[in-house]
Amino acid sequence: MKFAYYPGCVAKESGKELDLATRWVSARVGIELVEFPNFSCCGSGFLDEANGLLNVALNARNLAIAEKAGLDLLTVCSTCQGMLTFANRRLENAAVRAKVDGALQPLGISYSGKTRVTHLLQVLTDQVGADRIRGMVRRPLTGLKVGAFYGCHLLRPADEMHSESAEEPHSFEDLISALGATPVLYRGRVMCCGFPILFVKEPTANRIAGHQIHDAKAHGADAMATPCPLCHISLDSFQNKASTAVGEKLDMPIFHLPQLVGLALGATPEDLGLPRHLVSTDAALQKLGRVAVPA
Amino acid sequence: MFAAEKLITVPFDVYRYDPARGGEPRYQHYELQLAPHTPVLTGLLRIRDELDPTLTLRYSCRSAICGSCAMLVNSKSRLVCRTPVGPEVAEHGRIVVDPMRNQPVVRDLVVDQTPFWDRYEQMEPHLIPDPQRPMPEGRTTLMTPAQVDRFKDTPRCIACAACYSACPAVEADPEFPGPMALAKLYRFVVDPRDGGHQARLRKIQTSGLWLCLRCHLCTEACPKEVRPSERIRDLKELAVRAQGGTEPGSRHAIGFLKNIEEGGTLNEMKLVRQTSGLIGTAKAAGQGIRLVRKKPEMLKRPKTIEGIDEVRKLYRALEKDEEVPL
Amino acid sequence: MLRHDIVVVGAGLAGQRAALAAAEAGHDVALVSKLHPLRSHSGAAQGGINAAIGAEDSVETHIYDTVKGADYLGDQDAIEFFCQQAGPTVIEMEHFGTIFSRGDDGSLARRAFGGAGFPRTIYAADRTGLALLQGIYERLGTETIRMYNEWFLLSIIVRQGRVQGITAFDRKTSEVEGIAAKAVIVATGPAGRIYGRTTNAHSCTGDGVAAAYRAGANLKDMEFVQFHPTALLESSILITEGARGEGGILTNAQGERFMARYAPHVLDLASRDVVSRAIVTEVREGRGFPGGYVNLELMHLGREKIESRLQEICDFSRSFAGVDPVTEPIPVYPAQHYMMGGVGTNMRGETNVPGLYAAGEAACVSIHGANRLGGNSLLETLVFGKQAGVAAATYVSGTPEPTLLPADVEREVTRFRALWDRKEGESPSALRTELQKTMDQFVGIYRDPDELFRALRQVRALQERYRNVRVADSATAYNIDLSDAIEVGFLLDLAEVIVVGAIARTESRGAHTRVDFPARDDKNWMKHTIARWTPGGPELSYSPVAYTRWEPKERVY
């Protein structure tokens, strides 16, 4: 399994721990990550709002870079997954295709539209498979109750993303089970984290994030895990604000997807960048019988 | 074709609550023998006819066009007249029916849709005359295929409120008008007969447009493929193009656009400044300090990508494209 | 006690158009509807609205097609007016903001419909009713009208020879109120739910027609009930005539396009009564599929055409019949669809009761005579909705204050109490089911005199049992059991009128087909049936059909 690795902007900067954990896990499950220093930002949904056509063109360029290398794209962010997939879909429209091709051609770039975009979650569950992962587990996450938080753009719109059922997905929960932890089902797991309006009306974003975390907690979750670093920002970096917004001390550790996998495969907290989290993951680590890592 | 199917046992757990009588909401259990393709609505009406005439719900056309019967079936937004019992029983073993969300319960499955209708009315959902282009006397206006196409599927909306029920922004913030109202607003903004485009966009920018989370839960819930989240996205782009960065939401989008043009990858701290201005950034300082302590690289400008010149050329080529939106 | 100048009951296309006209004239208008206006059955209309707008078509042809379609029972002066109004009406709706399908040149798209000499049916994909309903609702929003949404009509009060208002209850509370008014416009649509096999919504229970009848209004031509040929087999959900307009064909179990035998000139686009009879005959004579149906084939039209022009029926077919029309034929059989009969009015929507008006499917002018052409019903709602609104507006300018008495309201409150207090009795839904079975079996497309008499006996027995109906649900919020009970009363009254009229009319004309009188009898039966309420049942009389230019001819398609 060899992919053009598309980390996205946040994984390279404030979400660096995601990149760390991704590399650690990939090395152990046999995913080869090929890096490209010329990938540009996927647009995150915001660029799309300012100029949708340009957003498609920028992502067509990203997809062309992977195509030229003969590789499919691997994302580690639900939002990147969504934006790059949308670009492929938009290009199926003849008028859009004509305009984008017209803009790429002077740059000597041509894109056939065939690059597949997959998220790490899908690679782990579809290509590696839950059974193989279970076989690689060295520290089963027994006793840990984990609420998955998928992130909107991984699943929806369902007829564009073609991932799994958008209303009742289960790939992440299957993976959590394979790691030895207990998946927790709760309504918020397929809902929004509030991130897109964090800079538009923060209290509302905080309230939304707080609501989802509260929901997971009310259903017994000790921790949450997400395949999207933007969700992670809302749920972890801004959890203090979320707690205030819903009037409840949430204290919910939020793992990035590969961090959870890495823990089960034997990584240390440092390997996975856990000390970088704003909300300490100590309580969850203690449940696994580990000594807490000083902040 | 639905050949003569074998009947299956369908267990129903239906939400019952009468606020006038107090007490707590509860689920009442019923069981029927039904063919798998039978709609949930037929089941509910049979429950009323044969087992319990006190259950109440809204329904009328039974053919997915009047919009009366939107409810939650096993927590999913559905028109119950068009939801067969078979697949739900196969997947979940039973049919749990709840009233729609974000609307107060009147009784059982009937909800108060006043806030939903009010928000729709706030959009001024009628043609505003265009003094430059009055209606032609004695004939219809002409509408080119491109103009008709711009409506997309917004005319298919049956105002069932499934989108409103599913929306986390409606749930969290009364300032957000909800997906249906905004999709209707879009319908008027792109209508060549309407004279109020600019005023409509200006108004909605300050009354909730930018609170849409782009989560697509509305598009998922909609039984008529109206795709409201995509029309809202179109409204945002129209607003940015027509009126620039007057709101945090539009400033964020424009800031993002400029940000990527510079380095090809996101400069997080700079984006905060572009969106919120200096004062806003200062207000966020406390939170900023907390973040920077754990994630010090946020203070540094990220490395510009290779091939940034290609990115900038794409900007030049497409930044002024008139045919908006996609 | 509430009071308005004009109360419109029923908020579908006709009701909203009437309210608009009355409000534009500056009056205090109330719009009462047991559903939110956008949920009205008008929204279920699919195929289109007729107007001779194009240069190649003519109003004359539209008039002739309608006169012939009515099997010469339509009033020709009214039909002429109606067809002349068609173009301006459609143009007005477009100016109100209705989104229609368009041709490449930007003008309104048109399709062929049954019984029409020219493709003059203007449409919005296959959801024309919804498009028009949105258009009128949006326009109505610019006027000040008092909306009584989810209020249920109980009775129309007539005193001193004129209308004084209505009694109604708010479904959210079950509180009965009187609304005094100088004029009342009935636009509550049809009573299709008399039948079990009907394309009508559950809400189509003829409330306003029955209330008007009880208040002294004459009903006209009630025995003329239209069956739509192509309803889905199991659910009776409508598959629009537009499907045939776009090229769909009907085939029997032998693979034969059988309409060639019944309507050699226009085949599948013959008028609805002709096609419905054909399908029933095919099945009766053993050429239908097991289970009793024929096929509507669209496959040859191609995926693109089906999915763009017939989007909704594609959805209906897949969702409600498990059939993909792109690849498979749709199983269809006729179902009750429209009532040509209704509250008798003239061209201005006036009834025989001063202050009482009617429009839309609830009314009978008569435009459609013994059979309605597709595309003429949507048009009728708007043309006569406006006429009724205008007429009511003129009327109220010179009328004294209405008087509604507390006793009028008390009467209804007492009735409710009786329904609730009864410890044992008949369930409304059981009575309704029996009525529907009776009508389905005995008062369908082919009418046999013995069966009609049997139907009458059963309807009257049900009316007797109805005196003992009880409401088992005692909740006051949104009590369907209660509204069901009221509705069943309306249905029974109207069913009786239909059956009595069908027994009396010893000829076959349009949608009324007597097996013992298979021919049309112009000499004896070129007249409208008028039914008046009496304590002993409907009393029938007859009125002449107005004709201007077209002599009745043999009706061949």
Side-chain angles (χ1 to χ4, degrees):
Chain A
M1 291 170 290
K2 187 173 169 186
F3 293 94
Y5 176 42
Y6 187 94
C9 304
V10 172
K12 292 188 294 198
E13 301 301 320
S14 68
K16 227 190 254 290
E17 68 275 6
L18 169 59
D19 179 61
L20 238 91
T22 299
R23 290 171 193 279
W24 195 96
V25 167
S26 297
R28 275 147 197 83
V29 305
I31 296 171
E32 191 186 332
L33 303 171
V34 180
E35 299 193 48
F36 293 87
N38 50 353
F39 276 150
S40 68
C41 173
C42 74
S44 196
F46 299 111
L47 205 155
D48 187 41
E49 288 167 355
N51 189 330
L53 188 60
L54 174 60
N55 199 181
V56 175
L58 290 168
N59 282 326
R61 175 181 167 276
N62 286 323
L63 294 160
I65 288 166
E67 183 173 71
K68 194 159 171 201
L71 296 169
D72 284 337
L73 214 76
L74 176 78
T75 64
V76 289
C77 169
S78 298
T79 305
C80 295
Q81 177 69 19
M83 291 301 128
L84 290 160
T85 307
F86 290 169
N88 273 337
R89 296 278 173 274
R90 295 288 173 275
L91 287 167
E92 288 166 7
N93 175 298
V96 171
R97 165 58 83 172
K99 289 222 156 118
V100 169
D101 280 349
L104 290 174
Q105 199 253 351
L107 308 175
I109 299 172
S110 104
Y111 173 52
S112 76
K114 296 210 188 70
T115 302
R116 283 206 318 239
V117 185
T118 19
H119 188 286
L120 181 63
L121 175 64
Q122 292 155 346
V123 174
L124 290 174
T125 51
D126 291 346
Q127 293 184 42
V128 180
D131 284 336
R132 261 188 69 206
I133 299 214
R134 193 177 292 115
M136 292 187 240
V137 167
R138 291 222 292 226
R139 182 202 296 115
L141 306 180
T142 324
L144 195 65
K145 300 207 226 27
V146 182
F149 191 88
Y150 282 79
C152 304
H153 299 120
L154 187 60
L155 303 170
R156 295 183 293 268
D159 57 354
E160 298 204 352
M161 296 313 295
H162 290 306
S163 46
E164 52 182 318
S165 160
E167 289 171 313
E168 296 172 314
H170 58 85
S171 64
F172 205 161
E173 284 80 10
D174 291 348
L175 183 63
I176 289 168
S177 296
L179 300 175
T182 309
V184 169
L185 293 178
Y186 63 106
R187 188 186 148 225
R189 69 191 183 104
V190 294
M191 295 192 70
C192 186
C193 67
F195 179 84
I197 59 172
L198 206 47
F199 301 103
V200 174
K201 194 171 177 187
E202 198 189 294
T204 303
N206 298 148
R207 197 157 42 243
I208 293 170
H211 189 87
Q212 316 307 9
I213 299 171
H214 167 87
D215 197 11
K217 203 166 174 187
H219 284 81
D222 305 311
M224 290 166 71
T226 179
C228 180
L230 303 183
C231 296
H232 193 270
I233 290 174
S234 183
L235 299 172
D236 172 72
S237 303
F238 282 80
Q239 194 176 120
N240 59 326
K241 301 272 188 129
S243 291
T244 313
V246 295
E248 179 190 339
K249 240 174 146 294
L250 293 165
D251 286 334
M252 177 71 74
I254 314 283
F255 290 99
H256 293 278
L257 159 70
Q259 288 176 331
L260 200 70
V261 178
L263 274 177
L265 264 46
T268 68
E270 297 81 4
D271 289 332
L272 304 171
L274 289 178
R276 288 169 55 89
H277 290 200
L278 272 288
V279 176
S280 167
T281 53
D282 285 358
L285 296 175
Q286 269 161 16
K287 276 224 155 181
L288 301 175
R290 300 240 344 140
V291 176
V293 177
Chain B
M1 182 176 153
F2 293 136
E5 292 174 317
K6 250 189 83 173
L7 301 186
I8 56 171
T9 302
V10 182
F12 286 85
D13 288 304
V14 184
Y15 179 96
R16 305 298 307 276
Y17 180 48
D18 185 350
R21 288 177 170 165
E24 287 300 310
R26 62 190 171 86
Y27 287 89
Q28 188 152 352
H29 187 82
Y30 309 95
E31 280 191 15
L32 292 174
Q33 298 290 112
L34 299 170
H37 70 270
T38 307
V40 170
L41 175 64
T42 305
L44 293 172
L45 294 180
R46 273 188 57 184
I47 287 170
R48 278 192 42 77
D49 284 349
E50 298 168 18
L51 302 174
D52 184 355
T54 68
L55 171 62
T56 188
L57 59 145
R58 283 201 180 98
Y59 64 98
S60 186
C61 75
R62 61 76 165 84
S63 60
I65 200 74
C66 74
S68 298
C69 70
M71 290 172 213
L72 298 180
V73 174
N74 288 329
S75 300
K76 302 182 291 265
S77 260
R78 291 288 188 269
L79 293 178
V80 288
C81 70
R82 204 179 56 172
T83 306
V85 296
E88 290 300 321
V89 172
E91 181 71 31
H92 296 280
R94 59 188 184 145
I95 312 250
V96 180
V97 188
D98 282 288
M100 280 194 280
R101 294 198 187 96
N102 293 335
Q103 295 150 94
V105 173
V106 171
R107 183 161 75 95
D108 297 343
L109 303 169
V110 176
V111 295
D112 180 3
Q113 301 199 287
T114 314
F116 169 75
W117 293 118
D118 283 349
R119 285 174 160 89
Y120 160 71
E121 296 296 336
Q122 275 161 29
M123 300 296 119
E124 273 185 273
H126 52 83
L127 283 187
I128 292 173
D130 185 346
Q132 314 284 10
R133 287 168 35 188
M135 292 294 176
E137 282 268 336
R139 56 176 183 85
T140 64
T141 67
L142 293 176
M143 227 187 253
T144 66
Q147 288 174 322
V148 173
D149 187 61
R150 261 188 118 193
F151 288 111
K152 297 284 188 257
D153 282 312
T154 56
R156 290 192 72 194
C157 174
I158 57 176
C160 68
C163 60
Y164 186 87
S165 165
C167 178
V170 167
E171 196 177 341
D173 196 329
E175 197 198 331
F176 186 59
M180 180 266 196
L182 290 173
K184 284 288 181 185
L185 184 73
Y186 171 86
R187 166 253 176 281
F188 285 102
V189 168
V190 300
D191 193 323
R193 303 167 292 189
D194 188 81
H197 308 145
Q198 293 294 343
R200 291 187 191 275
L201 286 172
R202 205 165 295 117
K203 184 163 177 216
I204 199 60
Q205 285 217 66
T206 54
S207 35
L209 173 65
W210 294 100
L211 292 177
C212 169
L213 297 159
R214 255 191 281 116
C215 71
H216 303 298
L217 280 162
C218 54
T219 293
E220 195 62 50
C222 176
K224 289 290 176 179
E225 300 174 319
V226 173
R227 309 186 82 91
S229 53
E230 293 177 2
R231 303 292 75 82
I232 297 171
R233 185 222 78 87
D234 292 343
L235 276 174
K236 287 174 175 173
E237 187 172 357
L238 285 165
V240 167
R241 295 298 194 104
Q243 292 159 10
T246 55
E247 303 303 312
S250 49
R251 280 199 296 277
H252 193 75
I254 293 170
F256 210 101
L257 189 70
K258 296 201 170 110
N259 202 302
I260 303 305
E261 188 181 357
E262 277 184 26
T265 184
L266 183 65
N267 180 335
E268 290 172 293
M269 296 291 352
K270 178 156 191 191
L271 181 59
V272 174
R273 274 204 317 280
Q274 284 165 315
T275 305
S276 317
L278 284 173
I279 297 176
T281 310
K283 281 193 188 155
Q287 184 75 0
I289 290 167
R290 284 184 73 246
L291 292 172
V292 158
R293 241 198 264 127
K294 290 281 186 172
K295 300 164 185 238
E297 61 285 312
M298 285 179 77
L299 287 173
K300 289 202 310 260
R301 202 175 135 270
K303 193 157 159 276
T304 300
I305 63 163
E306 282 179 30
I308 185 66
D309 56 309
E310 290 180 344
V311 167
R312 290 179 186 155
K313 283 191 181 128
L314 286 175
Y315 271 72
R316 298 290 82 73
L318 296 173
E319 65 195 345
K320 287 218 180 345
D321 190 87
E322 282 313 315
E323 231 173 84
V324 166
L326 297 172
Chain C
M1 186 114 18
L2 303 159
R3 182 234 176 269
H4 296 278
D5 289 341
I6 298 169
V7 168
V8 181
V9 186
L13 285 172
Q16 289 192 50
R17 187 62 188 86
L20 180 66
E24 281 175 340
H27 292 288
D28 166 16
V29 180
L31 184 54
V32 175
S33 172
K34 67 182 178 183
L35 306 171
H36 185 281
L38 287 176
R39 312 262 178 254
S40 302
H41 196 49
S42 297
Q46 297 173 1
I49 178 171
N50 293 338
I53 284 185
E56 314 87 334
D57 195 7
S58 73
V59 173
E60 277 292 294
T61 325
H62 186 191
I63 297 171
Y64 172 67
D65 287 343
T66 302
V67 167
K68 174 182 171 184
D71 217 350
Y72 297 94
L73 201 73
D75 293 305
Q76 293 177 13
D77 55 348
I79 293 173
E80 293 199 37
F81 172 74
F82 170 73
C83 294
Q84 282 152 6
Q85 291 297 308
T89 300
V90 170
I91 292 168
E92 181 179 68
M93 284 309 293
E94 195 270 333
H95 288 181
F96 284 171
T98 306
I99 300 172
F100 287 108
S101 294
R102 304 271 178 160
D104 286 333
D105 64 350
S107 64
L108 301 180
R110 282 165 292 164
R111 57 164 60 120
F113 246 55
F118 190 81
R120 70 170 67 93
T121 305
I122 288 152
Y123 62 93
D126 54 354
R127 45 177 184 269
T128 314
L130 179 64
L132 290 166
L133 193 59
Q134 286 164 347
I136 194 70
Y137 186 74
E138 287 159 6
R139 179 63 177 215
L140 199 64
T142 64
E143 296 289 337
T144 307
I145 289 172
R146 177 65 166 87
M147 310 285 278
Y148 290 86
N149 291 345
E150 297 189 318
W151 280 60
F152 197 107
L153 173 74
L154 289 167
S155 63
I156 297 170
I157 306 299
V158 174
R159 188 170 288 120
Q160 293 167 321
R162 55 172 213 278
V163 156
Q164 307 289 346
I166 65 167
T167 60
F169 73 95
D170 181 350
R171 298 185 87 174
K172 289 183 281 304
T173 60
S174 301
E175 298 260 311
V176 181
E177 293 274 357
I179 307 180
K182 295 182 178 182
V184 171
I185 305 177
V186 165
T188 52
R193 282 283 158 170
I194 291 173
Y195 290 85
R197 280 196 61 77
T198 174
T199 63
N200 278 198
H202 289 279
S203 59
C204 298
T205 50
D207 304 3
V209 178
Y213 170 62
R214 292 173 183 176
N218 293 334
L219 302 186
K220 191 153 74 176
D221 291 342
M222 289 295 286
E223 65 268 27
F224 293 101
V225 174
Q226 182 171 77
F227 289 80
H228 194 290
T230 55
L232 288 179
L233 177 63
E234 197 182 342
S235 58
S236 299
I237 287 171
L238 174 69
I239 298 293
T240 177
E241 193 160 304
R244 283 169 285 140
E246 296 292 345
I249 62 171
L250 293 163
T251 53
N252 61 21
Q254 291 159 7
E256 182 203 357
R257 189 180 180 183
F258 55 86
M259 283 311 301
R261 281 187 276 115
Y262 299 89
H265 304 296
V266 298
L267 289 93
D268 309 86
L269 282 174
S271 71
R272 288 172 182 182
D273 55 318
V274 171
V275 184
S276 292
R277 276 192 295 272
I279 294 174
V280 172
T281 305
E282 289 297 295
V283 171
R284 280 189 180 180
E285 292 180 1
R287 291 183 294 278
F289 292 90
Y293 64 93
V294 299
N295 277 344
L296 173 63
E297 295 189 16
L298 305 183
M299 300 89 77
H300 56 283
L301 302 179
R303 176 178 295 276
E304 221 246 287
K305 194 173 191 182
I306 297 174
E307 287 184 350
S308 60
R309 302 232 195 120
L310 299 171
Q311 218 169 11
E312 300 303 329
I313 65 137
C314 212
D315 188 20
F316 291 163
S317 211
R318 288 169 180 155
S319 307
F320 300 113
V323 159
D324 185 349
V326 176
T327 52
E328 308 164 79
I330 309 173
V332 295
Y333 194 75
Q336 189 279 339
H337 178 61
Y338 180 85
M339 304 218 139
M340 274 67 77
V343 180
T345 72
N346 59 17
M347 278 191 274
R348 286 179 300 283
E350 292 168 340
T351 68
N352 57 303
V353 175
L356 185 61
Y357 299 80
E361 195 170 349
C364 178
V365 181
S366 164
I367 298 300
H368 314 300
N371 169 71
R372 173 176 77 77
L373 294 186
N376 272 352
S377 174
L378 288 175
L379 181 58
E380 152 189 49
T381 61
L382 297 166
V383 170
F384 294 107
K386 178 179 174 183
Q387 292 305 305
V390 167
T394 312
Y395 169 83
V396 302
S397 304
T399 323
E401 271 304 290
T403 39
L404 211 58
L405 303 173
D408 296 322
V409 174
E410 257 313 303
R411 192 167 40 242
E412 299 301 337
V413 175
T414 307
R415 172 153 73 132
F416 275 24
R417 229 175 269 134
L419 293 171
W420 267 319
D421 288 347
R422 219 162 265 151
K423 292 284 169 278
E424 279 169 6
E426 299 268 10
S427 99
S429 68
L431 293 174
R432 184 181 57 222
T433 305
E434 286 198 41
L435 171 65
Q436 288 171 343
K437 280 208 189 92
T438 301
M439 297 301 286
D440 279 347
Q441 265 188 302
F442 302 132
V443 197
I445 290 173
Y446 283 107
R447 293 162 172 187
D448 174 288
D450 292 332
E451 290 181 344
L452 288 176
F453 274 109
R454 238 179 111 178
L456 185 59
R457 280 195 298 278
Q458 289 187 3
V459 168
R460 289 190 165 148
L462 287 167
Q463 283 172 323
E464 200 41 51
R465 284 165 61 189
Y466 179 71
R467 288 143 71 89
N468 206 27
V469 74
R470 79 174 274 257
V471 171
D473 182 8
S474 54
T476 51
Y478 224 88
N479 189 326
I480 303 180
D481 214 26
L482 177 65
S483 51
D484 274 0
I486 313 283
E487 286 171 349
V488 170
F490 292 147
L491 292 175
L492 287 167
D493 279 1
L494 298 179
E496 187 186 15
V497 178
I498 290 172
V499 179
V500 165
I503 287 171
R505 184 171 288 267
T506 50
E507 68 153 357
S508 289
R509 181 186 298 263
H512 172 71
T513 310
R514 285 283 295 260
V515 300
D516 52 345
F517 290 94
R520 194 176 85 201
D521 179 358
D522 289 342
K523 184 157 167 288
N524 294 305
W525 283 106
M526 185 75 122
K527 55 196 185 185
H528 296 297
T529 306
I530 307 293
R532 189 177 72 90
W533 182 90
T534 75
E539 181 188 273
L540 300 187
S541 58
Y542 294 90
S543 70
V545 174
Y547 71 96
T548 54
R549 290 185 276 150
W550 288 271
E551 287 292 331
K553 294 202 305 242
E554 194 199 341
R555 188 164 162 267
V556 172
Y557 281 103

